[in-house]
Amino acid sequence: MRIALQVLIFIIALLLHGVRDVFAQSGVEPPAVGQPPDFSQVVGSFQIQAEATPVRVDLEDPIVVTATITGQAVEPYTPQQERLRLFPETTVHDFFIEPLGVGGTSGRWVFSYQLRPKRKDVTLIPGLKLVYYAPRQGRYQTAYADAIAITVTPRAEPTITVPGLSVVQAPPEFFELAEETPLRAWGLAPAMLVIFLLAPPLLCLTILRVVKRRTRTTNRRQRVVDDILRSLQASDFGKISDSVVAYLRDVLGFPASEPTGAEVDRWLKRLGTSATVRLRWKETLAILATGRFAPDRSVAEMLQSDELCALITDTEEEPCLAVR
Amino acid sequence: MPGRALIACVTLLLGARGVVAQDALARAAFADGKEKMKAGKDSRASFRQAAEAWRQAPGGLAHSLGRALNAGNAAYLAGDVPSAIAAFRLGLMLDPQNEFLRRNLEHVRTQVRYPRGGNGRPEQNAWPIWLPRLRPGAWLLIGVGGYMLGWAAAMMWWATRSNTWGVANLAGAVVALASGYGWLLLEQEHEKNRVTPIVVIAADDLPLLTGNGRSYSAHPDLPFVNAGMEARRIGSRGDWLHIQFASGAIGWIERAQAMEVELVRE
């Protein structure tokens, strides 16, 4: 009887184990159709919780996140860190994520991660989620952990811990040596300054004075010539004769009061006048002499005032007389 | 007599050699400092030695612009900000428009701990922005040249009544006036440095007092001054200097705690 009872118990146990195995094996393959992209390759029934420490860090300093998964897993689909996809896709934009290690036992799996915030405006670690296949329900399900609030502060400036050490930052030009050329004095003696200030105006005034004198001489000469030319328009022979003599005396500087052709010719030659002009003067004075001494002035009246004006004008234009 | 002549010659030779020797010593120390800095070692002592050698060289820092610049650079690299500022200010007395001195001085001033609110800051350079920064010698040449050309153009204009010469005369006058103005500004600065020399504070957290004694109270607006701050000496009495900052604050400070920058040619 006892033996039969033991055998019966053994058979029942075998049956139960087998049923469990059958139950476990039947439908345990997570279906490919409808499989979520963040399926963590676990089958069974699970809950997940998360903790983080510290929750106040400087930028890019580490936070250790511990994810604890509890429940029943179906072999071989137990939680494995390399297959888990606990963090939402957007987490990588805010954190650097590194797996740290695995702990716990069957039925309670503990996974550690190191998260380092990338930006100062990150304010929380998103809630972890575990997507698993539940064979009893025959569908994929998700377990969630709560989000964890964190504070990210700017990184502090580094401090020099060596007492008395001052770090000198200098541009490259501080390391270049200049040549030591002795300086020359750049001052100006007062006497030299006075000379520099007075010399140009004095020089200019001197030049202006010389130029003015020349201009005055030329103007006076021109006025005399103009008067003579006007007086030559008169029809009276005596006045014409006087005008010619006045020109020779006042303008050309001829000393005699009754010039002859030969005398004027010599005088003009001395001045440097051209031969043509001298010949014309000679002829003109010959006619004037005839008119002066001859009682009959009809010859003299042949002398045209226009010709005399032209002669005087041509004489004035002689180069040797223009510079006088 | 021959002995005295010999001594005089030897002294002369030694003097000349002294200049060369000091400069060589300073340059060697500077080079040593650079090497140490490259190797990541403490180079301040070497740079300090270089700065001191240049200061002690015959003629002092007023000997040349190059020496003032070198001594200032060495002092800064040795961590001695007040000495660096003093050397650069002295160099700028020699050549107020030197670009290297002005640029290095601006950099060193960034290391000075000025009080909040702008009190105690150095005086701003009031050079007109439209006027080129030229040396005094350049202003002199340009001014004299413009003046002479202006007169010559005036004479030509009087003779020919041509507008071109009139414009040339005007241009010459403008150049001469601008040069004269630039020269005047430099002369004013020179005179200012002579009458009220620059004083550079040599240490941090020094009290600026209302009188020439430690029993006097601190200045109400500027109670403490720091190393590298610049002021002008408006008086002195015994061991105390009466100084004025560009912001207008006037007070007294101990002579031993400040560096006076005066251009004294040997």
Side-chain angles (χ1 to χ4, degrees):
Chain A
M1 198 62 176
R2 252 171 67 191
I3 294 171
L5 192 62
Q6 284 176 349
V7 169
L8 185 63
I9 291 169
F10 179 72
I11 291 169
I12 291 169
L14 272 178
L15 280 172
L16 281 174
H17 187 73
V19 167
R20 193 179 65 184
D21 277 349
V22 169
F23 181 78
Q25 286 172 14
S26 65
V28 79
E29 288 292 326
V33 176
Q35 187 174 94
D38 46 0
F39 175 52
S40 293
Q41 303 294 323
V42 290
V43 176
S45 168
F46 304 97
Q47 293 86 38
I48 183 169
Q49 287 174 330
E51 289 175 350
T53 181
V55 293
R56 186 182 180 85
V57 292
D58 289 340
L59 183 66
E60 293 187 355
D61 275 357
I63 300 172
V64 176
V65 174
T66 306
T68 304
I69 299 174
T70 54
Q72 287 180 339
V74 175
E75 292 287 346
Y77 296 100
T78 56
Q80 306 283 333
Q81 187 162 42
E82 59 272 14
R83 297 195 302 219
L84 288 175
R85 294 180 188 178
L86 301 178
F87 295 96
E89 278 182 12
T90 56
T91 312
V92 292
H93 300 312
D94 298 334
F95 296 93
F96 298 105
I97 303 173
E98 294 173 55
L100 278 183
V102 180
T105 56
S106 177
R108 185 176 182 276
W109 298 269
V110 179
F111 301 96
S112 300
Y113 297 88
Q114 179 176 277
L115 270 63
R116 289 183 291 126
K118 290 182 179 177
R119 301 188 313 276
K120 287 181 291 190
D121 60 351
V122 175
T123 56
L124 57 80
I125 297 172
L128 304 186
K129 67 176 183 177
L130 176 68
V131 178
Y132 62 93
Y133 180 72
R136 197 169 283 184
Q137 287 78 19
R139 63 172 187 265
Y140 289 95
Q141 290 188 313
T142 305
Y144 292 95
D146 292 333
I148 303 170
I150 62 169
T151 304
V152 180
T153 52
R155 182 174 293 281
E157 289 296 321
T159 54
I160 299 168
T161 55
V162 176
L165 177 68
S166 66
V167 179
V168 176
Q169 301 286 338
E173 45 265 28
F174 275 82
F175 296 94
E176 296 167 5
L177 288 177
E179 290 305 317
E180 296 180 26
T181 312
L183 279 170
R184 274 183 252 167
W186 49 265
L188 188 64
M192 289 299 293
L193 188 63
V194 168
I195 291 171
F196 276 129
L197 287 174
L198 290 181
L202 284 175
L203 187 65
C204 289
L205 285 172
T206 307
I207 294 172
L208 279 173
R209 198 169 173 182
V210 168
V211 169
K212 248 187 179 177
R213 194 180 296 168
R214 280 201 174 180
T215 308
R216 201 166 35 234
T217 305
T218 306
N219 288 346
R220 188 175 62 237
R221 180 195 173 100
Q222 191 59 43
R223 275 199 298 275
V224 169
V225 169
D226 289 343
D227 288 342
I228 291 168
L229 288 175
R230 266 196 297 276
S231 65
L232 284 174
Q233 300 303 320
S235 56
D236 184 41
F237 174 79
K239 283 187 180 170
I240 291 173
S241 176
D242 291 342
S243 296
V244 170
V245 170
Y247 175 76
L248 288 171
R249 188 184 58 237
D250 297 338
V251 179
L252 298 183
F254 188 75
S257 57
E258 291 184 351
T260 64
E263 288 170 343
V264 171
D265 178 62
R266 279 199 296 275
W267 181 260
L268 289 175
K269 194 175 179 180
R270 201 189 306 167
L271 291 178
T273 319
S274 64
T276 314
V277 168
R278 291 202 317 266
L279 184 60
R280 286 166 69 186
W281 272 106
K282 206 171 176 181
E283 291 169 356
T284 303
L285 287 168
I287 295 172
L288 283 177
T290 307
R292 201 181 298 129
F293 296 114
D296 181 9
R297 293 188 174 186
S298 59
V299 175
E301 286 171 353
M302 288 167 60
L303 200 60
Q304 297 293 321
S305 61
D306 292 344
E307 288 174 9
L308 284 171
C309 288
L311 176 59
I312 289 173
T313 306
D314 291 343
T315 308
E316 284 298 302
E317 286 175 3
E318 286 284 305
C320 58
L321 297 177
V323 299
R324 286 189 64 183
Chain B
M1 287 299 282
R4 282 190 185 177
L6 183 63
I7 290 169
C9 285
V10 168
T11 308
L12 238 145
L13 280 169
L14 282 175
R17 272 191 67 191
V19 175
V20 175
Q22 281 290 102
D23 185 63
L25 178 69
R27 286 176 182 263
F30 194 88
D32 182 53
K34 281 171 68 175
E35 288 302 318
K36 282 182 176 167
M37 201 173 231
K38 262 189 213 170
K41 298 178 185 173
D42 188 2
S43 55
R44 288 174 293 174
S46 299
F47 286 125
R48 199 174 300 124
Q49 185 186 5
E52 193 56 34
W54 272 312
R55 260 196 294 273
Q56 298 296 332
L61 298 187
H63 170 266
S64 65
L65 276 175
R67 187 181 289 178
L69 182 63
N70 292 340
N73 290 346
Y76 176 66
L77 292 171
D80 187 354
V81 167
S83 296
I85 290 177
F88 290 145
R89 288 304 296 259
L90 184 67
L92 285 171
M93 286 184 189
L94 300 171
D95 182 5
Q97 309 292 13
N98 187 276
E99 186 192 338
F100 299 109
L101 285 168
R102 289 196 302 112
R103 198 172 53 203
N104 286 12
L105 177 63
E106 283 308 308
H107 177 81
V108 173
R109 278 175 174 166
T110 61
Q111 308 302 311
V112 178
R113 289 196 300 128
Y114 294 106
R116 288 189 183 182
N119 217 341
R121 294 235 166 217
E123 53 202 26
Q124 295 298 317
N125 194 324
W127 193 263
I129 198 166
W130 53 269
L131 200 59
R133 288 184 176 273
L134 299 176
R135 289 186 172 179
W139 280 126
L140 187 64
L141 278 172
I142 291 171
V144 168
Y147 183 71
M148 286 183 167
L149 284 175
W151 271 104
M155 194 175 63
M156 290 304 295
W157 172 82
W158 186 89
T160 63
R161 302 290 171 171
S162 165
N163 285 340
T164 308
W165 287 113
V167 170
N169 168 247
L170 195 64
V174 167
V175 167
L177 282 172
S179 303
Y181 182 55
W183 174 271
L184 186 67
L185 286 179
L186 290 175
E187 274 294 311
Q188 283 179 342
E189 181 71 23
H190 188 67
E191 186 63 16
K192 191 177 175 184
N193 288 334
R194 191 186 66 81
V195 173
T196 54
I198 294 160
V199 169
V200 182
I201 307 299
D204 281 328
D205 298 321
L206 290 176
L208 182 68
L209 304 174
T210 52
N212 59 326
R214 292 187 186 172
S215 58
Y216 286 92
S217 58
H219 194 281
D221 297 325
L222 191 61
F224 293 98
V225 292
N226 293 322
M229 288 175 66
E230 299 156 65
R232 288 197 178 266
R233 188 191 73 201
I234 54 176
S236 66
R237 197 174 293 167
D239 294 333
W240 292 82
L241 298 175
H242 198 196
I243 62 175
Q244 180 175 17
F245 288 89
S247 56
I250 298 176
W252 292 83
I253 197 161
E254 286 186 86
R255 192 185 291 268
Q257 304 290 347
M259 282 185 272
E260 296 173 73
V261 183
E262 283 183 277
L263 187 61
V264 178
R265 298 272 192 112
E266 290 184 13

